[in-house]
Amino acid sequence: MMKVQPKHLPCIGVCCLNIAAKVVEEECNISSTQELIRISQCKFTVSDLSRMEKIVSEKLKFQFKAITALTFLHLYHALALSYTSEGNERLNLEKLEAQLKACLCRLVFSKAKPSVLALSLFTLEIEALQSLDLFEIAHCVQRHLKIIPQISTLPWYTTLVPLVLVLGMTAIKDLVDDLARHRMDREVNNRKCDVLLNGRFQESKWMDIHVGDIVRLKKNDFIPADILLLSTSEPNSLCYVETAELDGETNLKFKMGTKVTHERLQTEHQLANFDAMIECEEPNNRLDKFTGTMKWRNDRFPIDLDNILLRGCKIRNTETSHGLVIFAGFDTKIMRNGGKTRFKRTKIDELMNYMVYTIFVLLILVAAGMAIGHTFWYEQIGSMAWYLYDGKGGNSSYRGFLSFWGYIIILNTMVPISLYVSVEFIRLGQSKFINWDLQMYYAEKDTPAKARTTTLNEQLGQIEYIFSDKTGTLTQNVMAFKKCTINGCTYGCEVKYFMQQIYKVAPLHFFFLAFSVQPVDFSWNVHAEKTFKFYDHGLVSTIRSGKDPEAREFFKLLSLCHTVMVEQKEDELVYQAASPDEGALVSAARNFGFVFLARSQDTITISEMGVESTYEMLALLDFNSDRKRMSIILRFPNGKIRLYCKGADTVIYERLHPDSVNKENTQSALDVFANETLRTLCLCYKDITEEEFQAWSRKHKEATVTMNNREAALDRVYEEVEKDLFLIGATAIEDKLQDGVPETIAKLAQADIKIWVLTGDKKETAENIGYACRLLTDEMQIHYGEDVNEKLQAKQQNRRNEGPINRLQRKVNEPFFPEEGKNALIITGGWLNEILYEKKKKKRKLRLKLKRRKHGLNVPSSPQDNLPNDEHEKEQRQIDFVDMACECNAVICCRVTPKQKANVVSLIKKYKKAITLSIGDGANDVNMIKTADIGVGISGQEGMQAVMSSDYAFAQFRYLQRLLLVHGRWSYIRMCKFLRFFFFKNFAFTLAHFWYSFFNGFSAQAAYEDWFITLYNVLYSSLPVLLVGLLDQDVNDKLSLRFPKLYLPGQKGLLFNYKNFFTSLFHGIFTSLIIFFIPYGAFLQTMGQDGEAPSDYQSFAVVTATLCIFLTNCFVDPPFLQISLDTSYWTFVNCFAVIGSIALYFGVMFDIHSAGIHVIFTSTFTFTGAASNALRQPYLWLTIILTVGISLLPIIFIKFIAKTIWPSEGDKVQRKRKQYEAEEVPVKRPTPFRRGVSGRRSTYAFSHSRGYADLIASGRSIRKRTTARKVPARIPEVSGAGTI
């Protein structure tokens, strides 16, 4: 049984029930009323509906009341059905529709026959009810009222024809969208995979894979489900996977089958006999956790995440893998991680809905006024004049009631049903323009821009805040070795720096010398990469000559101290690194002659300047985010034991030997590298005696097998050996910015769009990228988390000390930064925890900090200090943080989680009511993208998960400025013009009925011919205004990008608001007055050329209709008419639409006014000869010209005054448009790096997750080395150092 709560229904549902109850109570016995009461108490079923149909059909003999009762009863039922709150059985709308059709069919052949049209109307009604659109439900009620002769003065086709056309076009659009969505789903579902069926592997589709199936995956295959890895073709059932679709990381990760399945499940026969039972956790969205147990052959085996292949990953470097499907379909972790899809609506949508409600209120008020007028008119005039008797009977109040509903019907075209459909078609066209924009097409990857939604285009022109990821969004996520410092000497210069120095020294010979600057020739190294560029010839000469042993030691360390995997493909070495930083450093060593060739469980083989050497690996101390370094202990071929270490400068300098040299020079170089936004690592070494190593090795072995807090035990052992290090130098690699990022950020800043960077990277890296992309400048005062915390605490304490009265008297918006100048905020996720209520600090750590304070140590204040007392204070603190951040010109949040990214976006939406845009390229950006008003996905290095969750997608960040400043601004302007003119033309058209009411006794008679009312919004006035919404533009795309200030009206909502709405309303009222009263005065006591009076109703209707078409559509030069006045960008299509609409109006009008069609359909086409009789009179054409002139002259005058005295930014640009188009925009060249900035910012480059150390040490990852491998002959040394 289904239970429904009527109190949760909209008001219209309760009204439907009350009307049906009233009708039944008047005409039926008391038992039927009790039935209806029982229904209202939420205890009805399908059988109850059938009984009510029977009662109403049998008891009610009057057609009007029968139809009314059934209509409102079924409306209530449909509404209640869609607002189910609890229950085990949900009724089906198809059953309800079948019940309605059956009921109506019975009524059609009963004595109380309604119109046969009711059957089709009820069918269409169900479609509207399924979407629960209040606007459609209201029109549904109006349609039912129209089939009641006592109320409606218009024939049925005036609504049915537009309704069918509108619903037909909507159905076609939805069909196209559904087909595209189905095509994408079908593409994924029809992917092929080998499944074990009947003892052998057979090709099957993804859609046919079920839990418990055994599948075979090959190299480069996508994983179709969450699968337990059983065995692979690799040693120890190792499997490499790419997880870009899951976590956005492009580096490979390894998975491994259990030992028992690796040994026993290699052949098809063994896999076919596999009969284990898997017990595991329920489906969830935890990508970092899996817990399960495999029961097989009377034994139990643990299963964890290392044994699971997750859907969305891709098999790499593994020829064949076998697995058992654990979760499939929507139970997979990637599907569970999709997050809640939020329904996004634009501000214009919300405003438009409120305006529709306003129009409904105006409609009811006007209809009520007309009903009161008809009541008084009938009492004083209508009932007294025998010649006005219409045979309907009834008193004046009853007739006034009927007149009210008649005006509801006749004036409903103020908001026609075509409005929302027209808006959808305009948005569809605007989306296509984005898809077709070749300037947003990225040729390198054959990636066009893609509008993945058609409902948010105009919102792109109102963006106030942009939240951007860093890696892969602002940067390319491609690392390049740029500079280094070795033994106190810095090497490596950019070619731009060379150009600047040449120009300073010899400006006259600049072009000749600049042409001579060439990159280093690495042809002497057969393993060198062709794409590697380095311009400092001195470093290569130093290495090859052997003058500085530290230089060779530097690159030897890079080739040995890492966790990179290597494989050989067609005589080419291919590296697989845990992070792109590490891969860049190993590749750099390779290009300078120290080539990493191979590794085994306990050896590493490299080529040192052409000489192959093998080192024994004694221990590998892997990197993690707490240690910020990694080390390796090697035994050299001569028996010497050495530790190599690389890591962040902040941790390396703490562990250097007091006698280590060049610390100051290296620190100075690090300052320069940091200013150039390069990512740095310090390199050092330490020699260890055999006795020292043996003693340490025993401690290390004990730590590796301890069961309690193993990681902490290992860290303590690592600390013992990683001390007293000797510094060699430091590396500097560049995470390259994408092309055009600084220029794009500058353009968007000029458009008053604030850009926040939300990244998971460390603070120093994020800060330097901020400088590189010009988000941060030297003039900005930067405030860090500590400053923010102090200011928030001070504000909170002041608020507590103030009384309520003083708080009200105090200034409302006191700035956090009263000083002049620009400010920037850089805050970490730890400080955001307090503001976003993510308190993850452990009590143990808090106690430790308190203990340190007792000893007098200077420890920074914790973000947990001075906590708010209650929820109100917490909310106020959030508001304070948002206000502080919004005062800054730039905000960077680093070390933030995906959830924190989404929470930051939510804060701005909640407290600033601003329109936000999020842009990212990885799966860790999905939550942020879905939370923002508009989400943009970058189809870059980190998979397609962000793109699949986004509203718009393209390949490069620089395309964002074109998306917003061109397409977004155009879409906003077009939509605003469309809505303003749409409301105007319908007010002007509909209110002519209002003025006509004063001359027809308020009897709800139409001022126009029925077919004109039917076709006005469908044929006569739809195309020109649609083309304005699709094609209009004030300035071209180049000027839109050149003048970002043109974007400001959209942010402020200046082009469409209630002021514009009421302007359109009064403009429509004025135009309707002109349309009606000037022809009325001209027709009064007029005689035509043939001696006949043309002042009949039909001629008047033809003239007013013609005037309405001319004033809303026509184009004449001079002057411009209404649609022409609002069109800024004229094309052949616009002209054809305006002229074509006029021609279509006259063609259709003369056809439906012809005698031939009247003979066929006598009662439908009654204006026989009206058009030809009226329009052949020159007097009437003069009336049309006079009316058009009087209507347009005030509008032209007002526009002229406004553009002359109060010109907008767009008006100013339009005046000089030709001059601007002829000018060439100068391109400002960025400086290579910033100078004069004090203070070193640590910019260490490392992966923030563990590497492959455990895997390497276990020996499970090692492939068999090829027996024959070519090693180049020893590279000859050179004595000279070539420089330019």
Side-chain angles (χ1 to χ4, degrees):
M1 175 176 292
M2 175 176 294
K3 295 183 179 180
V4 182
Q5 303 293 337
K7 64 182 179 181
H8 297 308
L9 295 180
C11 295
I12 190 171
V14 180
C15 293
C16 293
L17 183 63
N18 293 337
I19 293 173
K22 184 68 175 175
V23 174
V24 175
E25 186 176 2
E26 289 179 357
E27 298 295 330
C28 303
N29 56 29
I30 191 66
S31 62
S32 61
T33 305
Q34 291 174 349
E35 289 281 342
L36 200 61
I37 292 173
R38 191 171 69 81
I39 292 175
S40 68
Q41 293 175 348
C42 315
K43 298 177 181 178
F44 65 89
T45 61
V46 176
S47 59
D48 292 323
L49 177 62
S50 300
R51 284 198 298 273
M52 286 307 302
E53 289 175 0
K54 185 176 180 180
I55 292 171
V56 176
S57 300
E58 291 178 354
K59 299 296 182 180
L60 301 186
K61 302 300 183 183
F62 188 56
Q63 175 184 352
F64 161 61
K65 294 185 177 180
I67 298 172
T68 304
L70 283 172
T71 298
F72 287 102
L73 178 62
H74 291 162
L75 269 173
Y76 168 75
H77 193 168
L79 283 166
L81 179 65
S82 300
Y83 276 81
T84 304
S85 60
E86 58 177 307
N88 298 324
E89 296 182 9
R90 183 176 178 88
L91 295 180
N92 198 324
L93 277 176
E94 295 179 357
K95 294 181 180 179
L96 175 61
E97 186 175 2
Q99 291 282 339
L100 292 173
K101 290 180 180 178
C103 170
L104 288 171
C105 288
R106 291 195 294 270
L107 286 174
V108 167
F109 298 104
S110 67
K111 294 181 179 180
K113 287 186 178 180
S115 170
V116 179
L117 174 64
L119 179 61
S120 60
L121 287 179
F122 267 103
T123 304
L124 293 174
E125 172 191 313
I126 300 302
E127 298 178 2
L129 291 174
Q130 287 176 341
S131 64
L132 283 180
D133 193 314
L134 185 59
F135 176 68
E136 292 293 339
I137 292 174
H139 271 282
C140 171
V141 176
Q142 289 177 345
R143 291 198 298 271
H144 290 303
L145 294 176
K146 279 194 176 184
I147 67 175
I148 303 172
Q150 288 85 351
I151 292 179
S152 178
T153 59
L154 294 175
W156 57 269
Y157 52 78
T158 57
T159 295
L160 184 62
V161 172
L163 178 67
V164 171
L165 290 175
V166 167
L167 291 180
M169 290 187 291
T170 305
I172 293 173
K173 174 185 173 296
D174 291 341
L175 176 64
V176 173
D177 291 342
D178 289 343
L179 288 176
R181 194 177 297 109
H182 178 69
R183 185 168 56 250
M184 294 179 63
D185 293 341
R186 185 174 54 193
E187 181 181 341
V188 175
N189 291 333
N190 289 339
R191 286 179 179 174
K192 301 298 179 62
C193 178
D194 293 339
V195 179
L196 188 63
L197 299 172
N198 301 323
R200 52 190 294 267
F201 281 103
Q202 301 178 20
E203 193 175 75
S204 181
K205 297 179 179 178
W206 278 24
M207 60 189 299
D208 299 325
I209 293 177
H210 302 283
V211 174
D213 287 345
I214 293 178
V215 299
R216 179 173 63 191
L217 302 174
K218 300 178 181 178
K219 187 177 180 179
N220 297 326
D221 280 354
F222 282 100
I223 300 172
D226 290 351
I227 294 172
L228 170 63
L229 183 61
L230 300 177
S231 60
T232 70
S233 57
E234 297 297 316
N236 299 296
S237 288
L238 194 73
C239 179
Y240 293 97
V241 294
E242 181 183 282
T243 61
E245 292 289 346
L246 290 181
D247 53 18
E249 296 183 7
T250 55
N251 53 284
L252 298 187
K253 296 180 174 61
F254 66 90
K255 301 291 181 180
M256 188 173 57
T258 61
K259 183 178 180 180
V260 62
T261 57
H262 166 70
E263 295 173 349
R264 303 179 185 179
L265 299 177
Q266 291 291 342
T267 66
E268 284 189 4
H269 177 72
Q270 292 173 330
L271 291 167
N273 294 328
F274 181 56
D275 56 353
M277 171 68 73
I278 308 297
E279 293 180 355
C280 63
E281 61 189 20
E282 293 183 355
N284 58 73
N285 62 351
R286 291 286 302 273
L287 294 174
D288 58 344
K289 180 183 178 182
F290 183 89
T291 304
T293 302
M294 182 176 67
K295 296 180 180 179
W296 190 34
R297 297 183 180 179
N298 300 322
D299 204 350
R300 297 169 65 91
F301 306 94
I303 301 173
D304 56 23
L305 191 64
D306 290 337
N307 311 124
I308 301 297
L309 303 177
L310 298 180
R311 176 174 175 170
C313 299
K314 198 172 187 179
I315 302 294
R316 293 290 194 186
N317 300 346
T318 307
E319 296 299 330
T320 306
S321 303
H322 303 108
L324 176 70
V325 176
I326 302 294
F327 299 136
F330 286 99
D331 289 337
T332 56
K333 289 184 179 290
I334 189 173
M335 298 296 285
R336 293 271 177 162
N337 251 285
K340 182 180 179 181
T341 301
R342 297 172 174 85
F343 178 68
K344 298 182 178 181
R345 304 189 70 175
T346 66
K347 266 192 174 180
I348 285 184
D349 274 336
E350 297 174 359
L351 193 58
M352 190 167 57
N353 287 337
Y354 285 119
M355 290 178 179
V356 169
Y357 302 150
T358 303
I359 291 174
F360 275 128
V361 172
L362 293 175
L363 177 62
I364 292 173
L365 293 176
V366 171
M370 295 296 99
I372 295 171
H374 182 73
T375 301
F376 283 101
W377 177 87
Y378 186 76
E379 287 181 353
Q380 299 176 7
I381 300 176
S383 60
M384 304 299 179
W386 60 269
Y387 53 85
L388 295 178
Y389 179 70
D390 54 7
K392 294 181 179 180
N395 57 28
S396 59
S397 299
Y398 175 72
R399 295 178 68 94
F401 173 77
L402 297 180
S403 177
F404 170 80
W405 291 107
Y407 275 106
I408 290 291
I409 295 170
I410 201 171
L411 298 177
N412 79 88
T413 50
M414 281 198 292
V415 185
I417 56 178
S418 60
L419 172 63
Y420 289 93
V421 178
S422 301
V423 167
E424 290 303 317
F425 272 94
I426 289 175
R427 288 171 172 168
L428 177 63
Q430 292 168 348
S431 299
K432 294 298 181 183
F433 293 151
I434 294 175
N435 297 344
W436 297 336
D437 191 345
L438 293 179
Q439 296 191 49
M440 297 173 67
Y441 171 74
Y442 191 54
E444 290 186 17
K445 294 188 177 180
D446 190 27
T447 306
K450 177 67 175 178
R452 296 175 48 81
T453 181
T454 60
T455 60
L456 302 174
N457 298 322
E458 65 271 16
Q459 192 100 310
L460 291 170
Q462 298 181 279
I463 300 299
E464 299 175 63
Y465 289 86
I466 293 177
F467 300 91
S468 174
D469 181 38
K470 183 189 74 69
T471 305
T473 303
L474 299 178
T475 65
Q476 300 180 21
N477 201 20
V478 176
M479 308 301 174
F481 182 85
K482 287 296 180 182
K483 293 186 177 184
C484 62
T485 175
I486 304 173
N487 200 20
C489 183
T490 300
Y491 300 94
C493 286
E494 288 282 353
V495 65
K496 293 181 180 179
Y497 177 74
F498 274 123
M499 298 296 185
Q500 292 177 355
Q501 298 303 316
I502 291 173
Y503 187 78
K504 289 180 181 179
V505 175
L508 298 178
H509 304 283
F510 172 75
F511 291 102
F512 174 75
L513 294 176
F515 182 76
S516 64
V517 176
Q518 297 293 331
V520 174
D521 181 13
F522 288 101
S523 59
W524 51 270
N525 184 359
V526 296
H527 289 292
E529 298 170 310
K530 297 180 180 179
T531 58
F532 183 76
K533 301 293 183 184
F534 198 78
Y535 289 89
D536 193 340
H537 297 253
L539 178 59
V540 177
S541 299
T542 300
I543 294 172
R544 297 183 67 185
S545 63
K547 292 188 301 182
D548 187 359
E550 293 291 327
R552 293 195 173 190
E553 195 70 18
F554 181 91
F555 286 102
K556 182 192 292 186
L557 186 153
L558 293 181
S559 65
L560 291 170
C561 184
H562 57 78
T563 59
V564 174
M565 305 291 188
V566 62
E567 64 177 336
Q568 196 158 357
K569 293 183 179 179
E570 299 178 356
D571 296 332
E572 287 289 333
L573 296 175
V574 178
Y575 294 150
Q576 299 291 348
S579 72
D581 307 77
E582 193 165 55
L585 293 176
V586 177
S587 296
R590 166 184 177 172
N591 288 287
F592 283 99
F594 291 80
V595 186
F596 168 52
L597 297 175
R599 76 187 320 148
S600 67
Q601 182 177 355
D602 53 7
T603 63
I604 297 179
T605 302
I606 64 172
S607 171
E608 304 177 45
M609 303 301 292
V611 179
E612 185 173 339
S613 302
T614 300
Y615 295 81
E616 181 184 357
M617 186 178 67
L618 302 178
L620 185 60
L621 288 58
D622 200 7
F623 170 87
N624 62 45
S625 57
D626 293 328
R627 284 168 37 76
K628 298 182 182 180
R629 63 190 183 277
M630 76 159 292
S631 302
I632 188 171
I633 302 177
L634 301 169
R635 189 186 300 274
F636 280 40
N638 60 8
K640 181 175 63 175
I641 300 176
R642 175 169 289 186
L643 177 144
Y644 284 134
C645 180
K646 64 181 181 183
D649 52 332
T650 53
V651 297
I652 295 297
Y653 268 70
E654 295 174 355
R655 291 163 175 80
L656 292 180
H657 194 280
D659 296 335
S660 181
V661 297
N662 298 315
K663 290 189 290 187
E664 293 77 11
N665 293 338
T666 303
Q667 182 172 326
S668 300
L670 288 171
D671 292 340
V672 176
F673 297 160
N675 290 338
E676 297 176 19
T677 70
L678 300 176
R679 298 158 65 95
T680 60
L681 278 178
C682 288
L683 310 184
C684 52
Y685 72 95
K686 172 186 177 181
D687 290 326
I688 304 174
T689 65
E690 184 70 31
E691 294 76 14
E692 291 174 341
F693 173 74
Q694 293 299 333
W696 178 86
S697 180
R698 287 191 293 272
K699 296 179 182 179
H700 179 254
K701 186 175 181 180
E702 293 175 359
T704 57
V705 296
T706 184
M707 298 301 295
N708 297 325
N709 208 356
R710 182 180 300 174
E711 291 185 0
L714 286 173
D715 286 343
R716 287 192 295 270
V717 174
Y718 293 165
E719 285 285 350
E720 293 182 10
V721 72
E722 292 174 328
K723 61 183 180 180
D724 296 332
L725 306 174
F726 289 90
L727 184 65
I728 302 177
T731 62
I733 60 177
E734 179 186 30
D735 186 3
K736 293 183 178 179
L737 286 175
Q738 291 186 13
D739 295 337
V741 168
E743 294 78 10
T744 299
I745 290 178
K747 285 286 186 186
L748 296 176
Q750 292 175 28
D752 203 21
I753 299 175
K754 294 182 173 59
I755 301 177
W756 293 21
V757 175
L758 311 179
T759 177
D761 277 350
K762 59 189 290 290
K763 182 177 68 176
E764 292 80 7
T765 304
E767 182 176 348
N768 284 284
I769 289 296
Y771 279 108
C773 64
R774 301 186 205 168
L775 186 63
L776 302 177
T777 61
D778 296 338
E779 296 78 19
M780 288 184 180
Q781 178 67 34
I782 298 179
H783 305 273
Y784 296 97
E786 296 83 353
D787 304 331
V788 174
N789 188 52
E790 290 177 4
K791 290 180 181 293
L792 290 178
Q793 287 182 0
K795 185 98 169 185
Q796 181 175 281
Q797 193 61 41
N798 291 338
R799 193 182 295 111
R800 289 174 179 174
N801 297 334
E802 290 178 350
I805 298 177
N806 295 333
R807 197 177 304 168
L808 293 175
Q809 293 176 349
R810 185 172 47 85
K811 292 177 64 177
V812 178
N813 293 321
E814 289 186 1
F816 284 90
F817 308 111
E819 305 86 3
E820 295 184 359
K822 296 181 179 180
N823 294 279
L825 180 63
I826 299 179
I827 189 168
T828 62
W831 292 104
L832 276 177
N833 282 341
E834 167 63 17
I835 300 166
L836 303 180
Y837 314 145
E838 296 179 4
K839 302 180 181 64
K840 296 182 179 179
K841 299 289 184 181
K842 296 181 180 179
K843 293 183 179 179
R844 179 182 61 80
K845 292 186 177 181
L846 290 176
R847 287 198 299 267
L848 180 61
K849 289 187 176 183
L850 289 173
K851 184 176 180 180
R852 289 183 180 181
R853 287 178 184 173
K854 290 180 180 179
H855 286 81
L857 295 178
N858 185 17
V859 181
S861 61
S862 167
Q864 298 295 319
D865 296 339
N866 203 9
L867 292 177
N869 293 330
D870 52 28
E871 289 299 324
H872 175 71
E873 277 202 351
K874 288 182 179 180
E875 182 177 350
Q876 190 60 48
R877 183 156 187 178
Q878 285 186 337
I879 295 174
D880 291 341
F881 170 73
V882 171
D883 291 339
M884 178 190 296
C886 292
E887 288 182 22
C888 298
N889 298 84
V891 176
I892 297 177
C893 299
C894 45
R895 289 296 196 200
V896 290
T897 65
K899 183 180 179 181
Q900 285 178 320
K901 290 183 179 182
N903 287 342
V904 170
V905 178
S906 298
L907 285 177
I908 297 299
K909 291 178 63 177
K910 180 179 180 180
Y911 296 118
K912 287 300 179 180
K913 307 299 180 184
I915 299 178
T916 58
L917 180 147
S918 293
I919 179 169
D921 70 321
N924 54 344
D925 303 316
V926 169
N927 208 356
M928 174 179 71
I929 287 173
K930 288 186 175 181
T931 303
D933 294 298
I934 292 179
V936 177
I938 300 288
S939 52
Q941 299 287 330
E942 300 193 1
M944 297 294 290
Q945 193 72 5
V947 171
M948 297 300 291
S949 302
S950 66
D951 304 306
Y952 300 89
F954 41 72
Q956 293 283 290
F957 181 84
R958 67 176 183 270
Y959 298 149
L960 184 61
Q961 64 172 317
R962 185 168 182 85
L963 181 69
L964 300 185
L965 303 184
V966 178
H967 291 287
R969 199 180 71 85
W970 281 352
S971 297
Y972 174 73
I973 292 174
R974 291 164 179 172
M975 185 60 69
C976 293
K977 283 189 176 182
F978 166 79
L979 291 173
R980 293 200 307 262
F981 188 77
F982 200 98
F983 284 129
F984 155 74
K985 76 181 184 70
N986 283 287
F987 290 144
F989 163 73
T990 304
L991 292 178
H993 301 299
F994 175 78
W995 306 121
Y996 184 50
S997 299
F998 292 93
F999 300 91
N1000 62 23
F1002 307 99
S1003 57
Q1005 296 299 313
Y1008 307 112
E1009 183 231 351
D1010 296 338
W1011 279 103
F1012 178 77
I1013 297 174
T1014 303
L1015 301 176
Y1016 175 75
N1017 278 307
V1018 176
L1019 294 181
Y1020 300 154
S1021 64
S1022 59
L1023 191 56
V1025 70
L1026 277 175
L1027 290 178
V1028 168
L1030 283 172
L1031 301 177
D1032 194 45
Q1033 55 180 258
D1034 53 350
V1035 296
N1036 61 26
D1037 55 342
K1038 293 181 179 179
L1039 293 181
S1040 296
L1041 293 172
R1042 183 175 175 183
F1043 298 97
K1045 291 294 183 183
L1046 295 175
Y1047 191 80
L1048 296 181
Q1051 291 178 327
K1052 300 176 181 178
L1054 299 180
L1055 302 185
F1056 186 70
N1057 47 43
Y1058 261 102
K1059 177 184 176 182
N1060 302 119
F1061 170 75
F1062 283 109
T1063 300
S1064 299
L1065 173 60
F1066 291 125
H1067 188 192
I1069 293 172
F1070 169 76
T1071 305
S1072 66
L1073 277 167
I1074 298 294
I1075 288 175
F1076 182 83
F1077 282 102
I1078 291 183
Y1080 174 77
F1083 272 67
L1084 195 63
Q1085 298 179 354
T1086 301
M1087 186 67 68
Q1089 289 181 335
D1090 53 1
E1092 297 181 359
S1095 55
D1096 60 286
Y1097 164 72
Q1098 292 187 348
S1099 298
F1100 179 79
V1102 169
V1103 173
T1104 53
T1106 304
L1107 279 171
C1108 185
I1109 292 298
F1110 269 100
L1111 284 175
T1112 55
N1113 283 343
C1114 185
F1115 169 75
V1116 180
D1117 189 17
F1120 292 95
L1121 300 193
Q1122 300 297 346
I1123 187 67
S1124 308
L1125 288 172
D1126 281 339
T1127 302
S1128 304
Y1129 182 66
W1130 278 97
T1131 64
F1132 169 78
V1133 179
N1134 295 89
C1135 297
F1136 178 79
V1138 172
I1139 298 173
S1141 296
I1142 298 294
L1144 184 63
Y1145 162 72
F1146 282 108
V1148 173
M1149 181 178 63
F1150 280 108
D1151 286 339
I1152 63 178
H1153 290 186
S1154 64
I1157 197 170
H1158 172 70
V1159 173
I1160 302 174
F1161 304 100
T1162 306
S1163 61
T1164 304
F1165 300 94
T1166 57
F1167 274 51
T1168 307
S1172 57
N1173 179 61
L1175 297 179
R1176 65 185 176 88
Q1177 303 285 348
Y1179 179 80
L1180 298 183
W1181 282 104
L1182 290 174
T1183 302
I1184 292 174
I1185 295 174
L1186 174 65
T1187 307
V1188 169
I1190 294 175
S1191 175
L1192 292 181
L1193 283 177
I1195 307 302
I1196 295 174
F1197 177 75
I1198 292 173
K1199 287 183 176 290
F1200 174 78
I1201 294 297
K1203 291 191 175 185
T1204 304
I1205 301 178
W1206 304 288
S1208 65
E1209 192 71 26
D1211 296 332
K1212 296 176 183 178
V1213 174
Q1214 278 185 315
R1215 288 178 186 174
K1216 300 181 180 181
R1217 181 170 57 185
K1218 293 184 179 179
Q1219 174 185 343
Y1220 289 144
E1221 290 175 351
E1223 293 177 356
E1224 182 178 358
V1225 182
V1227 179
K1228 185 178 178 181
R1229 299 183 179 274
T1231 57
F1233 58 88
R1234 302 162 43 254
R1235 295 183 180 274
V1237 179
S1238 60
R1240 177 165 54 88
R1241 297 189 298 272
S1242 175
T1243 54
Y1244 79 97
F1246 245 128
S1247 168
H1248 298 301
S1249 60
R1250 293 182 64 84
Y1252 297 145
D1254 294 339
L1255 186 62
I1256 293 169
S1258 67
R1260 294 172 295 189
S1261 66
I1262 310 304
R1263 302 171 183 269
K1264 295 179 180 179
R1265 286 185 57 186
T1266 54
T1267 55
R1269 178 171 47 80
K1270 295 181 180 180
V1271 179
R1274 180 170 180 173
I1275 299 171
E1277 298 179 352
V1278 296
S1279 57
T1283 59
I1284 64 169

